[in-house]
Amino acid sequence: MLEEALAEIRSAPDARALQLLRVAWLGRKGRVTERLKTLGGLAPEERRAAGAEINALKQAVEQAFDERERALEAAAVQAQLERERVDVTLPGLRPAAGAHHLLTQVMHKLTDVFRTLGYEVVVGPELEDDHHNFEALNFPPEHPARDTQDTFWTTDGRLLRTHTSPMQVRYMRDHRPPFKVVVPGKVFRNEAVDTTHEAQFHQLEALVVGERITMADMRGAIEAMAVALFGPGTRTRLQPTFFPFVEPGAEFAIWWTHPKTGKEEWLELGGCGMVHPNVFRAVGYEDVTGFAFGFGLERMAMVTYGVSDIRDLYRGDVRVLRQFRGVA
Ligand code: YSA
């Protein structure tokens, strides 16, 4: 009987089969248990020897079950290790990393530059009113300078801001000089779209107010920005121009090589000037001077990345982003 039990136990293929065998051999009605029950019917002189023999059988069967159980467990662990084996020599899976849009890269770069120069970075509303967008900036109603910034009006008489300059007024109302701030943000104009003009674009406004702030300070700030973005030695120019909210006013341009035509030309990046006394008057400032400028971020991204058509920045073509991932 022992041989038969050992043979069955040792060939049990898995834990479940082993459990069934355990019941069949050692369970309440198992073959070893049945054998134990026969002891009661034996004569006392036979019982001792038979009892010892059956107990030895039982112990041997139990031991065989334990051994098989351990062997099956070890085999299962081994199989799992085989299954889950990691080949560390295989090439890794590269995580799909995104990239900031070119405009976001330029905006981060510029705000970083101005932060290191001690400027605060603030933002303002895109939906504005006539007072902040025009009147407080010295554009009286019907003034022809309003024609340079045609906008989109809402039915309740408000407008999508045409530049970030209204934040000059909002900031000055809430703060006392001296201060240095930059305002990045989205602006809107009702105008024909072409390779350098969009109806929605971004500007970075700067405003510095204090005692004895001069045009030389303004030139220095603009130069620091141009060097950070385009590198030292970049040709830049300031040319006199008119904005109602500055006196004197100028426009800032950079000498660039058009990426498609190869033609070298000036590209206007922004307007600037010394804050007009009427603007200071509108916010109740006295005895201070200041400068301000507002630059087009799309134009700066075009120069930085060699993009010939402003519309390429808005086509949503991920190949553009891939091409310039992490360049700035
Ligand atoms: C001027 C003097 C200051 O003291 C402060 C700010 C300014 C700038 C003024 N607020 C302004 O908006 N001037 S601007 O109409 O000449 O625009 C500034 C820059 O925005 C342009 O030089 C150009 O880089 C960009 N821009 C203007 N219209 C655009 C545009 N970019 C893309 N699409 C358009 N439609």
Side-chain angles (χ1 to χ4, degrees):
M1 187 185 236
L2 179 60
E3 289 307 310
E4 192 190 341
L6 294 183
E8 284 189 10
I9 293 166
R10 285 176 187 154
S11 59
D14 54 34
R16 172 151 175 75
L18 194 65
Q19 180 57 23
L20 292 174
L21 278 177
R22 196 186 283 275
V23 172
W25 285 97
L26 299 174
R28 264 196 306 132
K29 292 186 177 160
R31 289 175 66 185
V32 174
T33 319
E34 290 299 332
R35 189 89 178 262
L36 271 170
K37 287 181 193 163
T38 62
L39 284 176
L42 293 180
E45 61 278 13
E46 292 170 331
R47 205 177 291 153
R48 174 183 273 268
E53 189 199 326
I54 298 171
N55 267 332
L57 169 70
K58 190 179 174 209
Q59 272 177 16
V61 170
E62 281 174 346
Q63 192 184 338
F65 271 114
D66 289 347
E67 282 170 7
R68 186 64 187 152
E69 193 170 15
R70 279 198 297 276
L72 285 174
E73 275 171 10
V77 169
Q78 194 56 35
Q80 185 180 6
L81 287 176
E82 287 295 326
R83 244 190 349 263
E84 296 175 3
R85 186 168 35 219
V86 176
D87 183 350
V88 292
T89 64
L90 283 175
L93 295 175
R94 198 176 285 282
H100 281 133
H101 191 275
L102 306 192
L103 286 172
T104 312
Q105 292 183 30
V106 168
M107 196 183 291
H108 286 170
K109 189 146 193 180
L110 287 176
T111 47
D112 280 353
V113 169
F114 283 107
R115 269 201 198 94
T116 60
L117 293 175
Y119 286 65
E120 185 191 353
V121 180
V122 297
V123 290
E126 290 168 10
L127 187 59
E128 264 297 0
D129 51 42
D130 186 274
H131 174 76
H132 289 94
N133 198 85
F134 291 123
E135 261 202 90
L137 287 170
N138 205 26
F139 288 86
E142 314 302 334
H143 192 286
R146 286 186 177 223
D147 292 347
T148 61
Q149 301 193 11
D150 190 12
T151 188
F152 302 100
W153 296 87
T154 59
T155 45
D156 64 357
R158 286 184 291 171
L159 55 100
L160 294 180
R161 67 178 176 187
T162 55
H163 50 173
T164 39
S165 302
M167 262 308 280
Q168 291 190 26
V169 180
R170 290 185 181 277
Y171 192 88
M172 285 196 275
R173 284 259 160 84
D174 298 340
H175 299 81
R176 294 280 106 195
F179 55 72
K180 304 197 272 190
V181 280
V182 284
V183 189
K186 203 180 281 175
V187 300
F188 309 83
R189 285 189 198 177
N190 181 14
E191 64 181 324
V193 170
D194 61 23
T195 55
T196 51
H197 293 84
E198 263 290 355
Q200 176 199 292
F201 56 101
H202 294 76
Q203 288 186 338
L204 180 92
E205 187 89 7
L207 174 66
V208 174
V209 180
E211 279 178 28
R212 288 188 292 277
I213 301 291
T214 68
M215 206 138 177
D217 298 317
M218 182 187 85
R219 177 82 218 194
I222 294 176
E223 209 55 45
M225 176 180 72
V227 168
L229 212 54
F230 313 123
T234 312
R235 254 180 93 191
T236 60
R237 113 183 146 184
L238 278 181
Q239 262 197 333
T241 195
F242 173 76
F243 296 103
F245 42 99
V246 286
E247 181 55 42
E251 72 184 25
F252 177 78
I254 184 168
W255 186 246
W256 84 319
T257 310
H258 192 283
K260 257 212 180 113
T261 62
K263 211 172 126 203
E264 290 193 290
E265 58 198 5
W266 290 106
L267 178 68
E268 183 204 313
L269 295 185
C272 54
M274 299 306 291
V275 179
H276 197 287
N278 284 353
V279 177
F280 281 147
R281 219 165 280 132
V283 294
Y285 279 12
E286 281 172 8
D287 301 328
V288 285
T289 56
F291 69 78
F293 54 79
F295 284 81
L297 289 184
E298 279 75 2
R299 302 262 178 102
M300 293 206 265
M302 290 169 74
V303 176
T304 307
Y305 298 106
V307 175
S308 57
D309 189 330
I310 195 170
R311 291 164 289 196
D312 285 339
L313 297 172
Y314 287 101
R315 282 192 223 283
D317 187 338
V318 290
R319 286 174 304 178
V320 176
L321 298 186
R322 291 212 182 100
Q323 191 182 344
F324 296 108
R325 190 188 330 235
V327 175

